[in-house]
Amino acid sequence: MPVYYGGLEAGGTKMICAVGAGPNDLVAEARLPTTTPAETLAEVIAFFKAQQAAHGPLAGLGIGTFGPLDLDRASPTYGYITATTKPGWSQVDMAGPLGAALGAPVGFDTDVNAAALGEWRWGAAQGLDTFLYLTIGTGIGGGAVVNGKPLHGLLHPEMGHIRIPHDRQADPFAGVCAFHGDCLEGLASGPAIGARWSQPAEQLPPDHPAWALEAQYLGAGVASLICALSPQRVILGGGVMSQAHLFPLVRAEVRRLLNGYVQLPAILTGAIDGYIVPPGLGGRAGVLGAIALGELAAAG
Ligand code: ADP
Ligand code: ZN
């Protein structure tokens, strides 16, 4: 019998569940709406139980979720979503009930660390040991693998909330972050673009001034993160980055800001096209990363 893993990408609006062993070997996928924790977790468990009935026990389950999270294995609330801004979802145990119901070892991490793991296993970060995955969507979040391990640290990184230069004369928009106003997420997330220009980001034409400004902000964020983490590659995903014309603009801005100081061919030359890249797994990095997390949990 083939060995299968479960992957759950838990988002604020939807839960993406999958069962399989990799991108070309998925036996089931489902998207369930995120409602109350009790109802949502019951539906997620029902999905995975049905898959176990059809395909046999899952060797491991990976959960990549919105946060903030408790990733400290020594903590009594390990595996919980902690003080989230999403109503009803604070202090919700995710890993415990799922692991108990499915009888499988659970891997638990941020949605963006899971996506980074997916890219490491099957996507654009194969063979690297230090890299960055940044998603630019409803929020901005960063996951990283550093020296061969997902980066957790004190809590887990909150890369979307770094501060970047904001010229209020050129861009009077105050920013949408509830905590910081004009942090990177506040200025450059999808909702920030939509609010600044009074129309959804996906409706702005490629020659709209929104994109040059967006590239300026993303370039500032990415340049700072390159200086802090020294990633061997930077993967930019999320709905906003489906505007493919942003990539050359962001690369140019990163080179302009680093100004020749980071002495690497990957940054100094045209090779930057292979340094700042879209996800190899596209929009499936998160759920496939959750499967990779399940695989790691099964390996112990
Ligand atoms: P989420 O972050 O909720 O998982 P997405 O990564 O799709 O989901 O991000 C949604 C955000 O990205 C929205 O703010 C939306 O306006 C923006 N977005 C989605 N698709 C596009 C697109 N093609 N071009 C520009 N912005 C987009
Ligand atoms: Zn913020």
Side-chain angles (χ1 to χ4, degrees):
M1 199 137 180
V3 176
Y4 290 133
Y5 308 92
L8 168 63
E9 181 186 3
T13 57
K14 60 188 180 300
M15 299 274 153
I16 306 180
C17 312
V19 169
N24 303 314
D25 189 9
L26 288 185
V27 294
E29 264 187 279
R31 284 169 174 250
L32 308 167
T34 303
T35 58
T36 63
E39 187 177 73
T40 308
L41 293 183
E43 287 195 19
V44 167
I45 287 169
F47 166 81
F48 284 117
K49 282 201 157 175
Q51 298 311 315
Q52 285 189 319
H55 303 289
L58 297 174
L61 173 73
I63 304 172
T65 176
F66 69 97
L69 311 178
D70 188 345
L71 298 177
D72 175 4
R73 288 181 182 273
S75 159
T77 53
Y78 169 77
Y80 280 50
I81 293 176
T82 57
T84 182
T85 50
K86 183 162 175 65
W89 281 81
S90 280
Q91 307 306 330
V92 170
D93 186 1
M94 297 287 283
L98 282 163
L102 303 174
V106 175
F108 184 70
D109 215 322
T110 62
D111 44 8
V112 276
N113 267 350
L117 280 178
E119 288 293 312
W120 199 24
R121 181 76 172 83
W122 297 295
Q126 291 175 64
L128 304 181
D129 67 27
T130 299
F131 66 92
L132 171 63
Y133 175 95
L134 206 62
T135 181
I136 299 103
T138 303
I140 295 184
V145 168
V146 174
N147 297 339
K149 284 170 74 171
L151 179 60
H152 292 165
L154 177 68
L155 181 69
H156 44 72
E158 288 286 1
M159 300 187 208
H161 297 272
I162 62 173
R163 312 312 297 246
I164 56 168
H166 177 203
D167 177 347
R168 285 176 183 267
Q169 289 203 313
D171 173 25
F173 182 65
V176 296
C177 176
F179 291 87
H180 316 113
D182 61 351
C183 63
L184 178 60
E185 176 173 299
L187 289 174
S189 60
I193 302 171
R196 178 186 292 109
W197 302 103
S198 303
Q199 56 181 313
E202 47 272 60
Q203 287 174 17
L204 296 167
D207 59 355
H208 193 280
W211 302 118
L213 186 65
E214 179 71 6
Q216 184 187 318
Y217 291 145
L218 293 179
V222 169
S224 292
L225 293 168
I226 289 171
C227 291
L229 281 177
S230 199
Q232 295 156 323
R233 192 163 296 148
V234 177
I235 301 170
L236 300 181
V240 172
M241 294 312 298
S242 52
Q243 301 281 333
H245 57 89
L246 271 177
F247 278 90
L249 299 177
V250 173
R251 290 177 187 128
E253 184 64 3
V254 167
R255 282 177 65 175
R256 190 183 75 78
L257 292 171
L258 293 176
N259 198 25
Y261 183 67
V262 180
Q263 294 279 323
L264 269 180
I267 293 173
L268 292 172
T269 72
I272 196 165
D273 290 2
Y275 180 69
I276 297 176
V277 299
L281 301 173
R284 303 170 77 214
V287 69
L288 287 167
I291 287 190
L293 200 54
E295 197 181 42
L296 285 177

